[in-house]
Amino acid sequence: MAKDYYGILGVTRDASDDEIKRAYRKLARRYHPDVNPDPEAHETFKDINAAYEVLSDDQKRQIVDLGGDPLAPGGGAGPGTGAGGPFVGFQDIMDAFFGGGGARGPRARTRAGADAILRLDLDLAETSFGVEAPITVDTAVLCTTCSGAGTAAGTHLATCEACGGRGEVQSVQRTFLGQVVSSRPCAACQGHGTVIPNPCPTCAGDGRVRTRRSLTVKIPAGIEDGMRIRLAQQGEVGPGGGPAGDLYVEIHERPHDVYSRKGDDLHCRVTVPMTAAALGTRLTIKTLDSEEQLDVRPGTQPGATLRVRGRGVPHLRGQGRGDLYVHLDVRTPVKLEPEQERLLREFAKTRGEEVAELSKQGGFFSRMRDAFNGHA
Ligand SMILES: [Zn+2]
Ligand SMILES: [Zn+2]
């Protein structure tokens, strides 16, 4: 269903271009979001803009007068399908009839700024317990000389002469559908419809300047590698002093010398001597924030794991912490003193364990090798 664009602007169907422009300005001043924060006013403002966009464009206005809606997808008058003509592309025809494409009246000078992302390297203790980290961002901020307007003090924007303020230029082309008018953004004003005769000397008309800013980001306890913290409106200020984008701080956790992290659990490896594994012992483990006494039971095997509850990383959401897992390696002595060897042999004998004599006949392993290779 076609919208009543004339009714929205409060003008008659035979209103002149000037009357339409005056009606639009009057309404825009009343409903612009900058002066009227009411959400309903915002919707009205959108309608007013759409109505002006349509009625200020001869082609679109003609579609309205024929009962169509140039802003509704597929709602325009005229043929809706057909291959591209010999002179212009299909998109040009669609643009001309249905008001699609990039050329839709002047482009706003003020636009929203881009988001920014920053990498932050943290130690395990910092990601575990949280930290207030200082960061430095290179970003665009509002130009204080012109407050974003882009114009030098005491000067104003001027209507672009090349496009008469429409922000777009039209060309007429002959196609199989008849004459088609296609629109493109005006090159002289980049589609803004206005030019800056006297740009602000500080920002050269951009309304923003680049600078380096320092701020502090609060890192919550339990944050994980790869997570991002969003700092609303700490990104770049937009062209023409538009609202700033967001800043995302991406967390990178440096590997720890002792602990590796899996979720909120921590893992480490501890080597104990063979005798300690056999006889049992007590270990002192330095965790991230405490010292723990760990009992290694007599007869502990290589690869055994000790679990210390609640000594891992605090959970990011909610209470509690992960666990700490201590993986035990058992080290066999590499070199034995004669007395130590004698005691071990004695020990083996009492257990009835057979131990070969390596010092005689080239040793046990060389005999094994010979057996593998098929020697006698
Ligand atoms: Zn400026
Ligand atoms: Zn222009």
Side-chain angles (χ1 to χ4, degrees):
M1 193 153 33
K3 274 191 176 171
D4 178 15
Y5 292 115
Y6 289 103
I8 292 169
L9 288 188
V11 295
T12 55
R13 296 184 77 83
D14 57 1
S16 70
D17 287 352
D18 256 6
E19 283 171 320
I20 287 169
K21 197 176 273 182
R22 270 202 306 275
Y24 168 71
R25 283 204 182 135
K26 206 173 122 202
L27 290 168
R29 267 202 294 271
R30 206 165 114 204
Y31 290 103
H32 191 283
D34 284 355
V35 297
N36 194 334
D38 185 358
E40 231 169 83
H42 192 62
E43 287 307 307
T44 310
F45 183 65
K46 277 196 219 161
D47 284 342
I48 293 164
N49 268 336
Y52 180 64
E53 180 190 334
V54 168
L55 297 184
S56 63
D57 183 317
D58 289 346
Q59 289 288 319
K60 291 173 187 161
R61 187 172 174 182
Q62 202 179 352
I63 292 168
V64 172
D65 290 341
L66 291 169
D69 186 345
L71 299 187
T81 55
F87 302 108
V88 287
F90 182 63
Q91 196 55 50
D92 288 335
I93 297 170
M94 298 299 282
D95 287 354
F97 275 93
F98 306 121
R104 273 199 179 187
R107 270 169 66 211
R109 281 196 173 272
T110 302
R111 276 173 291 140
D115 292 341
I117 186 161
L118 186 90
R119 178 190 161 123
L120 180 62
D121 291 301
L122 294 175
D123 291 329
L124 179 60
E126 293 171 323
T127 55
S128 294
F129 303 118
V131 66
E132 298 208 344
I135 54 173
T136 316
V137 261
D138 287 311
T139 187
V141 298
L142 190 71
C143 172
T144 48
T145 309
C146 65
S147 303
T151 47
T155 70
H156 299 279
L157 298 174
T159 303
C160 173
E161 285 178 9
C163 62
R166 300 163 64 91
E168 55 187 36
V169 284
Q170 300 186 326
S171 55
V172 181
Q173 285 158 300
R174 217 169 244 294
T175 76
F176 69 101
L177 292 170
Q179 272 198 1
V180 158
V181 181
S182 60
S183 306
R184 289 194 171 69
C186 170
C189 62
Q190 284 87 47
H192 294 308
T194 52
V195 292
I196 303 177
N198 302 291
C200 164
T202 309
C203 64
D206 194 31
R208 51 185 185 164
V209 286
R210 293 214 73 85
T211 188
R212 174 165 287 200
R213 246 174 349 130
S214 297
L215 45 132
T216 305
V217 52
K218 213 168 146 47
I219 308 294
I223 199 160
E224 276 184 66
D225 186 76
M227 284 182 172
R228 289 177 179 183
I229 292 174
R230 175 171 163 266
L231 301 178
Q233 296 185 357
Q234 298 286 357
E236 292 199 343
V237 161
D246 297 335
L247 172 64
Y248 290 90
V249 178
E250 188 172 281
I251 305 300
H252 286 256
E253 190 181 84
R254 294 191 193 98
H256 192 269
D257 287 345
V258 174
Y259 294 110
S260 62
R261 178 174 174 181
K262 281 181 188 136
D264 287 340
D265 292 333
L266 293 176
H267 294 258
C268 70
R269 306 197 77 86
V270 171
T271 303
V272 293
M274 177 186 78
T275 45
L279 302 170
T281 189
R282 174 164 283 189
L283 299 175
T284 303
I285 300 284
K286 255 181 115 70
T287 73
L288 291 177
D289 59 335
S290 66
E291 251 186 29
E292 300 289 324
Q293 306 287 324
L294 285 189
D295 284 342
V296 177
R297 293 168 159 283
T300 290
Q301 300 298 310
T305 302
L306 302 175
R307 177 176 171 192
V308 191
R309 285 180 189 275
R311 282 293 157 215
V313 176
H315 299 310
L316 181 59
R317 291 177 189 85
Q319 307 252 309
R321 295 171 63 167
D323 299 331
L324 169 65
Y325 291 90
V326 180
H327 302 271
L328 294 175
D329 286 332
V330 175
R331 189 177 52 223
T332 307
V334 176
K335 235 182 153 183
L336 294 173
E337 298 295 319
E339 173 64 2
Q340 293 167 343
E341 183 180 344
R342 189 189 66 73
L343 285 170
L344 265 185
R345 288 194 183 285
E346 195 74 10
F347 171 76
K349 198 186 284 176
T350 61
R351 290 177 63 86
E353 291 167 353
E354 203 177 310
V355 181
E357 286 278 348
L358 294 189
S359 44
K360 293 162 192 163
Q361 295 173 1
F364 176 71
F365 283 103
S366 68
R367 274 187 280 123
M368 285 285 283
R369 197 172 56 232
D370 289 347
F372 271 121
N373 294 338
H375 300 296

